[in-house]
Amino acid sequence: MTRKTAPLSPALEDILKELGENIKLARLRRKITTTMLAERAGMSRTTLRKVEGGESGVTLGAYASVLFCLGLEKDLLLIGGDDPLGRRLQDADLTHTKERVPKRTKS
């Protein structure tokens, strides 16, 4: 039985394609064959081809394994590290003081 995943936006598909291409270029710069990298990462060449193609159905673990074998695993820590939108939202929330509701008096 095949799994169904939600369709990705074209922008997100483009990002994954670029990620796959970056992984492929890193492999080529290191002069590592697909057979060698797939073996080191513990996956089939077909799965590695899907990673390098930026396919969305590949697990994050597969991407992480390939990055580890290329010595690029620390790049995963860059995701969400610099969060300008989140920081602006947090700062906006901090600048607004919340007014307290007056205490009830017992009658």
Side-chain angles (χ1 to χ4, degrees):
M1 188 168 165
T2 60
R3 296 183 197 179
K4 292 185 181 181
T5 59
L8 298 179
S9 70
L12 194 50
E13 285 180 358
D14 290 344
I15 289 170
L16 285 175
K17 295 275 186 222
E18 187 175 343
L19 172 61
E21 184 65 22
N22 290 345
I23 289 171
K24 181 177 181 177
L25 290 172
R27 176 181 59 78
L28 293 172
R29 283 191 292 268
R30 287 161 177 75
K31 299 184 183 338
I32 299 173
T33 66
T34 55
T35 302
M36 289 169 50
L37 184 54
E39 187 175 295
R40 291 176 187 176
M43 63 182 61
S44 67
R45 285 183 53 221
T46 302
T47 301
L48 178 59
R49 190 176 322 114
K50 289 178 180 181
V51 167
E52 290 186 348
E55 292 191 23
S56 63
V58 181
T59 66
L60 180 58
Y63 280 95
S65 292
V66 171
L67 289 171
F68 177 79
C69 292
L70 294 171
L72 298 171
E73 70 278 3
K74 300 258 185 198
D75 287 1
L76 289 170
L77 296 174
L78 299 175
I79 299 171
D82 184 27
D83 183 13
L85 174 60
R87 291 184 193 279
R88 283 196 309 264
L89 291 170
Q90 183 181 30
D91 291 346
D93 190 41
L94 293 175
T95 59
H96 292 92
T97 57
K98 296 178 183 176
E99 294 187 25
R100 296 186 80 169
V101 177
K103 288 186 177 182
R104 285 187 162 175
T105 57
K106 294 184 181 180
S107 313

